[in-house]
Amino acid sequence: MTEQYVPDLREIDESQVAVVGGKGAHLGSLSRIEGIRVPAGFCVTTDAYRRVVAQSPSLDAQLDRLSRVSPDDQEAIRTLSAEIRRTVEEIAVPDDLAGAITGALARSGERTAYAVRSSATTEDLPTASFAGQQDTYLNVVGPAAILQHVSRCWASLFTERAVTYRRRNGIDDRTVRMAVVVQQMVFPHVSGVLFTADPVSGDRTVATVDAGFGLGEALVSGLVNPDVFKVRRGEVVARTISAKQRAIHALPAGGTREVSIDAQRQEQPALTDAQAVRLVELGRRIEAHFGRPQDIEWCLVDDDFHIVQSRPITTLFPVPESADQENHVYVSVGHQQMMTDPMKPLGLSLWQRTAMARMQEAGGRLFVDVTRRLASPASRAGLLDLMGRGDPLVRDALETVLDREDFIPSLPDAPPAGPRGGGAPEPVETDPAVVTGLIERSQASIAALRRDVRTKTGQELFDFLPTAFEEHKRVLTDPLNFKAIMAGMEATWWLNDKLQEWLGEKNAADTLTLSAPGNITSEMGLALLDVADVIRPHPEVIGFLEGVEDDGFLDELAKVPGGAEARDAIEAYLDRYGMRCVGEIDITRPRWSERPGTLVPVILDNVRNFEPGAARRRFEQGLEQARKKEQDVLSRLRALPDGERKADETKGMIDRVRTFIGYREYPKYDVISRYFVYKQALIAEAERLAQAGVLAAKEDVFYLTFEEFHDVVRSQRVDDGLVRRRKDAFRSYQALTPPRVLTSDGEALTGAYRRDDVPDGALVGLPVSTGTVEGRARVILDMAEADLEAGDILVTTFTDPSWSPLFVAVAGLVTEVGGLMTHGAVIAREYGLPAVVGVEQATLRIRDGQRIRVHGTDGYVEILS
């Protein structure tokens, strides 16, 4: 039956993406929504495409060659994709298929003008829009022309931009099929695009209408600036009317042409306010049907709106689910934890189960709902103070929401929730034994966890782990643990505030905390220098490590001269720190013990850039600087009025900060140590399921929540479709940038520094470690690809403790994410590195290799070349 190749759009729904592609499925669904006008037409199915391309044996070989091309080799992609397009366009359409298409045309009249539009199976999906990646042809007239343009649409599956886009989204060229939509042309006097959510801010209550004269291609191609209407709750709240000098019109014989707009019409609004509001009402109906915000293409003909496309807006950050319809404000957990990448479901659920605060998931990230604390005047001040000390951008974003007095109603004071920033230190004695005791109790608890989990498998493991999670939280929430953390932070704040007030000196605590005792994260960086000392005398070992390409190198390393000693040093390092990795709050991330090759470039940099004994010298130099700074500060204070009292108070705070600030890093080490124990047990369970054929691969459990993993163990069955959907969703989340603050309306707020004390053109951030340094910027997004030289300045998105081995080799630090007390800031101060964090889009605005100057005292970065 040739009719199977050309179903009418009204016969199609969203379930048929595999047959009619994303665009065809959406148009079919649109045509079924009451009150929505969609131009009539039909779809040439993917079965037709498959049948046609099967006629060309050479296509398989061409696709094989394309699959072997590096995604970075744009010249090869350009050449091969053009060759494949020629092959597809030259394939003759079989007579019966051509007859089916012309028969479908005859139903509307063969001389009717049509739009011939590509509709790939990966197009207009919730996770990847592929907008504009394949071709559309307007005002095509006559059966022969339409058949020719159907072939061109098939071929456009292999445009260079479409192939590149698929590579970036991890989609195999062979898995994609092309359908073609053939629709009657409408000839609008106005057309444009409607976003049912604000595409810039993400606000779901604000719709944006772009409108211009003629066909919509003028807007899409950037030929004209559109009129822009913003509509909120049935009212135009903002409008921008542009001078629309050009338009694209259809030609009577087919095709289109660019025309000039009469001067008196150029600045007339393309739509009235009433029309914009009516269009948004239609958009809301479409949005409700598809269940998510939409990017809608429309045409206006005789005051009637025709909808010619609707696709999900894939760039919006999702909103956490709420059980009520009230307004909510969420703060990003990732910006506090220095991990803004998406987490896999198992990682999300484990962090939620073991965290001290209730967290909600959206876009593969975690958020804390702070609405109640913002609504209460008493708790609001403490929250803003704490957030402001950690990350001024978060505070500014929260204050932006509070300025809209109607968004968060003021409520009675909430009970205290967490610490207030600043103020008097918590009443814990300044005694190193407090820290020693906390660490000893932590180590005993982790040793018991390792011992108790060792024999647990299957149901017994999942019965045991919730108890382990409770112990995990008990250790974290120990009041003494909390007091010790806050004591170091509050002493730092006190020193910075008082010494600036009394001596006019900014961030004096940065020097006073150099080489503070017991900082597990800074010790981790220095310990890798000691590993380099073991390796440096052995050229055969260095040569071997330079050729390492996989993670199974340690056994082979022992076979080269000096290799056994080098292997022992690396393994000893991994025994103490191997549970760490970049993004370590996600249990699914590979740990250094699982991928020791990650450390090899850093070890080689240390061998090349340092002399023997560098770790000890560095620590002693920091001690000496801190001691001299203390003497200097106390001497200057004593010369002031009431100086003895001020000096005595300051000496007490210096002792206090040096007692407790190193412990600031320990609780995270405790958490990640436990995570590695959990992971080893869960991976062993996943391996058993994979060996039993329940899982296709052990890593599939990463895409299940902890509870779902438990269900698989109980039932010995897994929903492969769920795993596949989760993988697709995770891939889409990787393209999203999480906001610091998010509202329940979907508005993403990043905040601003609002400073006027920085030079023009400088990149503003938060000063977290004093000093000024100039050097070569090394923009590094993957620690395993580090290639550093002495004097380099590290520029990256975020740094968690796993990055500290790089800190010993650089002269300064710039990050996009961070706060005064986050890990990168603490370690930068520990090592005496000038550092500025929270620099928006630093990795895009600073190019690798540029010379920059980092002003760590004043919080800005200058680009010098």
Side-chain angles (χ1 to χ4, degrees):
M1 293 274 298
T2 55
E3 288 77 7
Q4 70 180 354
Y5 293 126
V6 287
D8 191 278
L9 281 179
R10 289 166 298 184
E11 300 168 5
I12 293 166
D13 61 31
E14 291 162 83
S15 68
Q16 295 169 274
V17 170
V19 177
V20 296
K23 184 177 289 161
H26 276 84
L27 286 167
S29 290
L30 281 167
S31 66
R32 294 162 175 255
I33 304 173
E34 186 177 351
I36 302 300
R37 297 191 63 173
V38 177
F42 60 92
C43 196
V44 183
T45 66
T46 56
D47 290 332
Y49 168 80
R50 265 197 298 262
R51 184 176 162 197
V52 167
V53 297
Q55 295 176 208
S56 174
S58 65
L59 193 58
D60 266 347
Q62 290 170 330
L63 288 173
D64 278 341
R65 284 162 54 207
L66 185 60
S67 70
R68 292 192 293 271
V69 170
S70 165
D72 299 324
D73 191 345
Q74 283 300 121
E75 185 58 39
I77 290 174
R78 184 178 303 116
T79 302
L80 272 171
S81 59
E83 185 181 315
I84 292 169
R85 288 197 305 278
R86 283 194 299 274
T87 298
V88 173
E89 284 191 46
E90 289 167 2
I91 301 171
V93 179
D95 290 345
D96 61 331
L97 178 54
I101 294 170
T102 54
L105 292 171
R107 294 197 293 266
S108 301
E110 288 189 353
R111 300 311 300 174
T112 299
Y114 289 88
V116 183
R117 314 173 69 192
S118 302
S119 179
T121 51
T122 52
E123 194 172 346
D124 297 342
L125 303 181
T127 55
S129 76
F130 275 75
Q133 301 306 312
Q134 284 87 214
D135 290 346
T136 285
Y137 301 94
L138 300 180
N139 200 30
V140 183
V141 179
I146 286 170
L147 285 171
Q148 180 187 35
H149 285 85
V150 166
S151 287
R152 287 180 178 174
C153 283
W154 286 334
S156 76
L157 191 58
F158 298 98
T159 62
E160 180 188 347
R161 61 184 181 272
V163 171
T164 301
Y165 193 92
R166 284 195 290 271
R167 294 292 180 89
R168 288 177 182 159
N169 283 271
I171 297 170
D172 185 345
D173 293 316
R174 290 180 177 278
T175 64
V176 187
R177 301 286 182 267
M178 178 67 85
V180 182
V181 174
V182 181
Q183 275 181 291
Q184 291 180 23
M185 275 290 294
V186 291
F187 301 99
H189 62 278
V190 178
S191 59
V193 179
L194 160 64
F195 296 95
T196 63
D198 189 316
V200 177
S201 74
D203 191 336
R204 271 59 163 183
T205 68
V206 176
T208 300
V209 177
D210 290 2
F213 296 126
L215 292 168
E217 267 36 49
L219 301 188
V220 174
S221 65
L223 181 65
V224 297
N225 292 322
D227 293 344
V228 180
F229 300 81
K230 290 190 179 293
V231 179
R232 190 170 191 258
R233 298 191 173 100
E235 180 185 356
V236 174
V237 294
R239 71 180 64 73
T240 302
I241 307 304
S242 300
K244 301 168 288 295
Q245 297 176 337
R246 314 289 292 170
I248 293 177
H249 285 177
L251 294 168
T256 61
R257 70 182 173 94
E258 184 182 316
V259 299
S260 298
I261 302 294
D262 293 341
Q264 64 269 27
R265 288 187 65 214
Q266 288 179 6
E267 297 193 22
Q268 289 180 1
L271 294 176
T272 65
D273 283 7
Q275 286 172 326
V277 168
R278 179 155 54 90
L279 174 61
V280 170
E281 288 170 355
L282 295 175
R284 294 291 181 215
R285 197 177 303 175
I286 294 168
E287 178 183 67
H289 175 82
F290 288 116
R292 57 184 299 154
Q294 297 288 299
D295 165 358
I296 298 166
E297 297 174 21
W298 54 270
C299 299
L300 182 64
V301 182
D302 299 328
D303 204 38
D304 276 338
F305 285 104
H306 296 250
I307 305 301
V308 295
Q309 177 61 305
S310 184
R311 62 173 69 88
I313 307 176
T314 59
T315 56
L316 296 177
F317 200 88
V319 180
E321 290 184 8
S322 173
D324 57 44
Q325 298 303 308
E326 302 298 319
N327 290 341
H328 291 268
V329 180
Y330 305 96
V331 171
S332 164
V333 172
H335 285 80
Q336 315 303 313
Q337 289 294 333
M338 299 298 94
M339 164 53 177
T340 55
D341 291 347
M343 297 167 67
K344 296 187 177 75
L346 186 62
L348 289 166
S349 63
L350 258 292
W351 193 259
Q352 286 171 305
R353 274 180 163 264
T354 54
M356 290 186 285
R358 185 172 180 270
M359 297 175 181
Q360 292 165 269
E361 182 272 336
R365 280 81 168 186
L366 291 169
F367 294 84
V368 172
D369 188 340
V370 297
T371 313
R372 188 69 177 82
R373 293 184 69 185
L374 284 177
S376 164
S379 60
R380 179 188 307 151
L383 177 68
L384 292 175
D385 190 23
L386 188 64
M387 290 293 175
R389 286 188 180 274
D391 185 342
L393 293 177
V394 173
R395 175 172 184 146
D396 186 78
L398 292 174
E399 288 176 333
T400 300
V401 177
L402 288 168
D403 286 344
R404 302 167 189 159
E405 296 179 359
D406 60 336
F407 193 81
I408 300 178
S410 195
L411 298 174
D413 286 347
R420 275 206 64 197
E426 291 285 343
V428 57
E429 187 179 356
T430 303
D431 182 359
V434 172
V435 171
T436 304
L438 285 167
I439 292 174
E440 286 174 351
R441 287 194 287 280
S442 161
Q443 291 297 312
S445 175
I446 293 169
L449 170 64
R450 290 194 182 103
R451 181 189 67 240
D452 294 344
V453 80
R454 196 170 294 137
T455 59
K456 305 290 193 295
T457 62
Q459 183 62 45
E460 191 180 7
L461 173 64
F462 283 87
D463 288 341
F464 168 77
L465 284 175
T467 307
F469 299 157
E470 289 306 311
E471 168 66 5
H472 178 131
K473 288 194 284 189
R474 185 196 67 76
V475 171
L476 281 184
T477 55
D478 178 344
L480 188 58
N481 176 59
F482 189 72
K483 289 176 183 178
I485 295 170
M486 291 308 299
M489 293 169 65
E490 288 175 333
T492 301
W493 296 335
W494 190 97
L495 287 166
N496 281 336
D497 291 347
K498 291 297 185 183
L499 294 180
Q500 182 159 10
E501 176 188 342
W502 293 336
L503 300 176
E505 186 167 341
K506 291 182 179 179
N507 303 324
D510 291 2
T511 306
L512 293 167
T513 54
L514 287 171
S515 297
N519 187 320
I520 189 74
T521 306
S522 64
E523 289 170 1
M524 180 171 69
L526 297 176
L528 207 59
L529 289 175
D530 292 335
V531 173
D533 285 354
V534 174
I535 289 167
R536 193 177 290 106
H538 304 291
E540 294 91 343
V541 171
I542 295 169
F544 176 88
L545 291 176
E546 286 172 340
V548 164
E549 294 182 353
D550 59 51
D551 294 303
F553 66 90
L554 287 172
D555 288 340
E556 290 299 313
L557 172 60
K559 299 175 184 176
V560 304
E565 188 182 355
R567 181 196 61 188
D568 291 347
I570 293 171
E571 288 183 340
Y573 185 88
L574 293 173
D575 285 344
R576 183 153 172 75
Y577 305 111
M579 77 293 290
R580 311 219 79 149
C581 68
V582 174
E584 59 194 9
I585 70 170
D586 182 354
I587 198 172
T588 72
R589 289 284 190 109
R591 311 285 134 171
W592 288 343
S593 287
E594 297 168 318
R595 286 198 186 160
T598 304
L599 294 173
V600 169
V602 189
I603 293 171
L604 291 171
D605 281 346
N606 288 349
V607 168
R608 185 174 67 249
N609 294 331
F610 293 93
E611 296 297 322
R616 176 181 47 78
R617 282 196 304 278
R618 187 165 198 143
F619 189 78
E620 289 174 352
Q621 286 166 1
L623 279 177
E624 181 62 17
Q625 285 179 263
R627 187 186 63 78
K628 285 183 177 178
K629 185 68 173 178
E630 177 179 336
Q631 291 174 343
D632 172 63
V633 163
L634 296 179
S635 173
R636 289 159 61 200
L637 285 172
R638 289 190 182 103
L640 298 176
D642 198 19
E644 287 299 331
R645 178 189 64 81
K646 290 173 179 173
D648 288 346
E649 287 184 14
T650 300
K651 171 60 175 167
M653 282 299 175
I654 291 172
D655 291 345
R656 191 168 182 78
V657 80
R658 291 195 67 81
T659 297
F660 291 110
I661 199 63
Y663 184 71
R664 165 71 180 83
E665 292 293 296
Y666 188 82
K668 186 75 169 282
Y669 179 78
D670 175 289
V671 169
I672 302 307
S673 296
R674 294 175 192 276
Y675 262 42
F676 193 38
V677 179
Y678 306 152
K679 182 176 186 179
Q680 288 172 310
L682 291 169
I683 281 290
E685 196 60 36
E687 285 173 342
R688 283 187 281 273
L689 290 168
Q691 288 166 3
V694 177
L695 295 174
K698 65 183 180 184
E699 291 82 6
D700 283 356
V701 297
F702 294 164
Y703 297 93
L704 303 175
T705 66
F706 180 78
E707 295 77 12
E708 290 164 347
F709 190 176
H710 189 185
D711 288 341
V712 171
V713 169
R714 273 194 295 247
S715 67
Q716 295 293 294
R717 289 205 314 271
V718 69
D719 181 347
D720 291 327
L722 174 65
V723 171
R724 189 166 55 251
R725 290 192 298 276
R726 293 271 177 80
K727 288 179 178 179
D728 288 342
F730 178 75
R731 189 161 50 241
S732 73
Y733 296 154
Q734 289 176 305
L736 299 176
T737 300
R740 283 175 166 81
V741 172
L742 183 66
T743 73
S744 48
D745 284 346
E747 186 176 9
L749 297 129
T750 58
Y753 287 106
R754 307 189 191 284
R755 291 173 53 188
D756 56 10
D757 59 343
V758 298
D760 290 343
L763 311 184
V764 185
L766 177 65
V768 295
S769 186
T770 56
T772 301
V773 65
E774 182 179 319
R776 179 180 69 157
R778 292 311 318 270
V779 180
I780 298 173
L781 303 180
D782 182 350
M783 182 178 153
E785 295 176 2
D787 181 13
L788 297 166
E789 295 178 4
D792 283 347
I793 296 170
L794 174 61
V795 180
T796 191
T797 311
F798 58 81
T799 60
D800 58 15
S802 71
W803 286 76
S804 65
L806 290 188
F807 283 24
V808 300
V810 297
L813 173 70
V814 179
T815 68
E816 295 180 351
V817 177
L820 195 61
M821 281 297 171
T822 49
H823 302 281
V826 171
I827 304 307
R829 290 193 291 272
E830 180 79 11
Y831 289 164
L833 300 178
V836 180
V837 303
V839 179
E840 283 288 288
Q841 296 187 316
T843 60
L844 298 176
R845 296 161 75 186
I846 300 172
R847 294 195 310 274
D848 187 55
Q850 280 185 311
R851 286 197 68 77
I852 63 173
R853 185 182 296 129
V854 177
H855 295 262
T857 306
D858 296 312
Y860 62 91
V861 180
E862 291 181 285
I863 298 175
L864 305 177
S865 67

